[in-house]
Amino acid sequence: MGAPVVLYPGSGGFTMTRSLTLYQVDAFAERAFQGNQACIIPLEAFLPDDVMLAIAAENNVAETAYIVRTGDSRWNLRWFTPAVEVPLCGHATLAAAHVLFAHEGFTGDAIAFDTVKSGCLTVQRRDDGRLAMDFPSAPVSEIEVSDEVAAALGARPVQAWGGIFYAARFETPADVQALAPDLKALKLLGAPGEGWDRGNFGCFAAGGEGVDVTSRFFAPGSGIDEDPATGSWHTMLARIMSERYGLDAITCLQAYPGRGGRIDAALRGDRVSLIGRAVTTVEGRFYL
């Protein structure tokens, strides 16, 4: 993807500035203002890490994803929150595939994304227009709920698991929707052996309006107070729902206040299929 040099009026006259194509996408959304926002920037080669992190901080959405083409249907992919690079991000992967299909001229049916820590992730375009992502699903193990976690969440879960995140089960969807955690306290806590930085908590309950499970995801440890729609969380949630409830295919609502996202998940051994839609809301240029 080209990054032309342009003339841009600065305070001291005209300065030489680099211009990058940028798309902003609502992922796991049927229309604008739903799901989770991601910025997608196609590149010819990755920029220095500090520059990519600075751009993500400037964009100030949950994730900014950078993609670099390496073959006919293959790209390298990296994800940054406004604070850190993360090893896996579902909604920005969905958004990146949507951009390639809808805006960047890719006419194939499937895309392969090579990532630094999560291996190869594939995204396939379905006949109904939805995108199906193939992701790893790591093992989970049940853990005790500590008093510190209960206090930070503001309510005591009835059950908890450790994995790539801390997963906390509550009795009802209403309990999940009523949560108002102490984010400063939550940022310092996590599950034993958690794969990511501490302070990443998925909270869920079985059931909900027209869905199998309702959840929310708090991520102060990743620089995000609450994430609106989190694909990586659903790789863990799919495994828990399979092991506890015997449901290998689930329809999920991530009940972020005012937005929310719907994600279909199907567990297949050590992999999970995450299915959803995405909508472009902004197309423009980012000037460095």
Side-chain angles (χ1 to χ4, degrees):
M1 200 53 47
V5 174
V6 300
L7 291 176
Y8 185 78
S11 59
F14 284 85
T15 58
M16 301 302 287
T17 305
R18 189 176 186 186
S19 170
L20 307 174
T21 301
L22 178 144
Y23 303 92
Q24 187 164 308
V25 175
D26 286 346
F28 296 118
E30 297 286 336
R31 57 176 175 80
F33 313 123
Q34 293 180 343
N36 200 355
Q37 298 162 300
C39 288
I40 309 300
I41 298 180
L43 297 169
E44 291 181 350
F46 288 124
L47 303 170
D49 288 6
D50 61 337
V51 174
M52 292 193 289
L53 183 58
I55 292 172
E58 184 76 9
N59 290 336
N60 199 31
V61 299
E63 259 87 11
T64 294
Y66 302 89
I67 50 177
V68 174
R69 191 165 196 165
T70 59
D72 289 343
S73 60
R74 204 169 197 98
W75 281 259
N76 287 335
L77 171 64
R78 294 174 69 181
W79 312 274
F80 290 77
T81 77
V84 296
E85 183 175 6
V86 295
L88 182 64
C89 178
H91 87 277
T93 302
L94 185 75
H98 166 78
V99 162
L100 292 172
F101 284 124
H103 302 290
E104 291 290 306
F106 181 69
T107 58
D109 292 326
I111 293 167
F113 289 117
D114 293 308
T115 71
V116 176
K117 293 187 177 180
S118 295
C120 179
L121 310 176
T122 60
V123 185
Q124 187 162 7
R125 179 165 46 184
R126 296 165 60 114
D127 292 340
D128 62 4
R130 294 186 300 165
L131 301 179
M133 304 186 294
D134 179 64
F135 273 33
S137 180
V140 298
S141 57
E142 190 169 352
I143 58 176
E144 293 290 332
V145 177
S146 69
D147 292 340
E148 291 82 2
V149 166
L153 288 172
R156 181 172 286 275
V158 295
Q159 199 172 5
W161 290 261
I164 60 171
F165 306 121
Y166 189 110
R169 184 177 73 85
F170 292 84
E171 287 285 4
T172 69
D175 294 336
V176 173
Q177 290 171 324
L179 289 172
D182 179 341
L183 295 169
K184 287 186 178 179
L186 207 62
K187 184 176 181 178
L188 304 176
L189 302 172
E194 185 180 359
W196 290 27
D197 290 339
R198 300 170 82 79
N200 291 281
F201 281 74
C203 301
F204 75 99
E209 187 174 348
V211 296
D212 298 307
V213 59
T214 300
S215 78
R216 293 170 69 186
F217 191 79
F218 304 99
S222 295
I224 304 164
D225 288 349
E226 182 174 357
D227 202 36
T230 315
S232 54
W233 154 235
H234 283 77
T235 68
M236 184 177 183
L237 184 57
R239 181 161 298 282
I240 293 169
M241 292 298 291
S242 174
E243 293 180 359
R244 191 184 192 285
Y245 296 98
L247 297 175
D248 288 337
I250 52 175
T251 298
C252 311
L253 171 66
Q254 191 163 329
Y256 181 91
R259 290 186 71 95
R262 289 183 177 264
I263 303 170
D264 291 341
L267 187 68
R268 300 288 184 269
D270 63 353
R271 308 290 295 184
V272 62
S273 178
L274 301 177
I275 304 168
R277 299 184 187 273
V279 179
T280 304
T281 56
V282 177
E283 181 178 353
R285 311 295 299 178
F286 193 105
Y287 294 98
L288 297 178

